[in-house]
Amino acid sequence: MVKVRFAPSPTGYLHIGGARTALVNYLYAQKTGGKFVLRIEDTDENRSTKDMTAAILEGLEWLKIQWDEGPFFQSERKELHQECALKLLERGFAYRCFCSKEEIEERKKRLENPAEWKYDKNCRAISKEESDKRAATEKFVIRCKIPEGKIEWNDFVKGKISFNSSEIEDFVVLRSDGSPTYNLSVVADDYSLGITHILRGEDHISNTPKQLAIYKGLGIEPPLFGHLPLILGKDRKKLSKRHGTTSVIAFKKEGILSLALFNFLASLGTNIDEEKCLSREEIARRFEIEKIKKSSSVFDYDKLLFLNGKLISEMDLNELKEELKNFWEFQEFPDDKALAVTRTRSRTLIELSKNLIPFIKEDFEYDESSLSKIDKEKTSKYFGQFIFHLEKISEWIQDKIEQELRGFAEEKGLKAKDLIHPSRLFLVGKGESPSIFDLFYAMGKEKSLRRLKRGLNFIKSGGKDV
RNA sequence: GGCCCGUUCGUUCAGCGGUUAGGACGCCGGCCUCUCACGCCGGUAACACGGGUUCGAGUCCCGUACGGGCUACCA
């Protein structure tokens, strides 16, 4: 059975790149009926925090990327990792290295090009007896012995990838303080958890030969590897957790819907529909790991907004209401009619809620430029009568309102616009809104007339609210 | 610098030896119209370059250029 994992290190919020990796793993597990494991790689004492762990879980939960097992914490599995290091040592695939950091630094500096430094295998030659003896009194690290030849694997995203062993140094698997190093922990955990496929960012490609060496040293079968192209920012640089604006939770706060982000992430590098939002189930059904692109893609916020806007206009109304609640700060909640006329012109929940405010809040301000555009003279002269006409309407629906408005305009020799524009400004405080008749209808007779009267007073008093 | 990976419109996804190189976002224009959106219609725009292989190459191979990743007793 397929078993995959997402193994973030809690040194920052869940960002877009991590979420994408998690998503691909999740989708692959869903598609194959396998299991998806969550493991927190919190072995970096200094940088890992509980808060960040919680933040990552929050991000995953919000996106509804559900894991089947875990979260496991790498920091709680140190003994296992150490056992593996010892086993490597016993089997002769690792050795103690007594070189101090200073000594290494010294030798490195002597190189014509220190950047090309790789551990010089100085301690590989030390005999077992001597090593055991020195171990009692000296500090040491354990290094993995990289075998001669080539290390290669058939990456199921990238195809065949090959490294020359000479390019890989005998890296540290166990530090001088006895703590395991990343590559060792990963292998030990992936193996003990029974991970069958490792799907991770391509920034891990260079770790793979090292991990393969450990698998070999341990005498165990390695899983299959697939390296996903990275998601790049507009500058075509790796999108990283250092870019605060890429945090998943930040998108939530910006009024992006979880399903929209889910769709957007799923569409990157895959042939999954990007014209409209699909359900999570449908995405999993369509997901094909073999079709993931080899090249990286740029994060396009406009596309996300498009998807989000589309979802807002088309999703189930009750669900939309639930989502909106997180962004709504007034006691009274807008009704279905108000939602119906504003949703198609809102790309985020924040926009939606802004568009809805005039339906609830009475004392909004009038937009300066829209205010300057209306004819104050005509408005003062005719609006009182216009309001009077509206008041007479018994059945408050679009057709009747329109009939009345146009009729009144004609009667007074006005253009419909002369009534529509001020009405719009008085109803929502700005120059843009749904169709005026829809707006009147959605707002209801009572509220509409109250706003109209307030507006008229405002104009008559020369710009003072009364 | 070294090693690894990549390269189709500005962005994104198709195309998997023979296509007028297609869709979407964005942008531009039009329709609708009371505004802004939505929607609909139309337009703009790409196979990085050079060699091969082949009757024929965006599709296969090799270089070059460019881009990215990694290069810790971090994960």
Side-chain angles (χ1 to χ4, degrees), chain A residues 16 28 34 114 184 192 245 292 313:
Chain A
I16 290 302
Y28 188 56
L184 209 223
S192 83
T245 53
I292 290 205
S313 356

Side-chain angles (χ1 to χ4, degrees), chain A residues 98-144:
Chain A
F98 299 94
C99 301
S100 71
K101 276 180 187 168
E102 295 70 31
E103 287 166 354
I104 287 177
E105 203 50 46
E106 190 61 33
R107 276 181 261 158
K108 190 173 179 175
K109 262 189 276 182
R110 276 203 296 257
L111 247 52
E112 58 289 353
N113 185 1
E116 282 178 22
W117 164 266
K118 275 185 279 296
Y119 178 65
D120 53 15
K121 303 179 184 170
N122 208 275
C123 297
R124 247 206 207 200
I126 297 173
S127 71
K128 188 177 182 306
E129 294 71 30
E130 188 189 341
S131 177
D132 288 347
K133 207 171 107 192
R134 288 175 68 178
T137 56
E138 291 179 44
K139 285 189 86 171
F140 62 87
V141 297
I142 294 182
R143 287 183 183 272
C144 180

Side-chain angles (χ1 to χ4, degrees), chain A residues 257-264 273-280 282-283 304 306-312 314:
Chain A
L257 292 159
S258 151
L259 186 61
L261 222 209
F262 192 102
N263 269 270
F264 177 74
D273 206 319
E274 38 170 324
E275 294 177 34
K276 61 178 184 296
C277 283
L278 270 27
S279 70
R280 292 179 172 78
E282 182 59 24
I283 290 171
L304 210 210
F306 163 77
L307 245 21
N308 203 57
K310 192 123 178 153
L311 223 207
I312 286 179
E314 295 173 357

Side-chain angles (χ1 to χ4, degrees), chain A residues 70-180:
Chain A
F72 297 103
F73 291 87
Q74 202 156 59
S75 60
E76 294 170 2
R77 324 176 112 236
K78 269 189 182 175
E79 293 74 21
L80 171 73
H81 308 155
Q82 285 159 342
E83 279 170 33
C84 286
L86 259 27
K87 193 170 171 193
L88 242 26
L89 199 58
E90 280 164 24
R91 290 171 50 89
F93 286 91
Y95 58 92
R96 293 193 191 92
C97 169
F98 299 94
C99 301
S100 71
K101 276 180 187 168
E102 295 70 31
E103 287 166 354
I104 287 177
E105 203 50 46
E106 190 61 33
R107 276 181 261 158
K108 190 173 179 175
K109 262 189 276 182
R110 276 203 296 257
L111 247 52
E112 58 289 353
N113 185 1
E116 282 178 22
W117 164 266
K118 275 185 279 296
Y119 178 65
D120 53 15
K121 303 179 184 170
N122 208 275
C123 297
R124 247 206 207 200
I126 297 173
S127 71
K128 188 177 182 306
E129 294 71 30
E130 188 189 341
S131 177
D132 288 347
K133 207 171 107 192
R134 288 175 68 178
T137 56
E138 291 179 44
K139 285 189 86 171
F140 62 87
V141 297
I142 294 182
R143 287 183 183 272
C144 180
K145 212 183 268 184
I146 301 296
E148 294 290 305
K150 280 182 189 290
I151 298 184
E152 38 191 26
W153 73 96
N154 196 8
D155 194 281
F156 58 96
V157 174
K158 301 270 189 181
K160 199 180 204 97
I161 298 181
S162 172
F163 281 81
N164 220 309
S165 291
S166 60
E167 299 298 336
I168 304 158
E169 72 170 355
D170 283 357
F171 62 99
V172 173
V173 291
L174 205 69
R175 299 187 186 97
S176 50
D177 66 358
S179 66

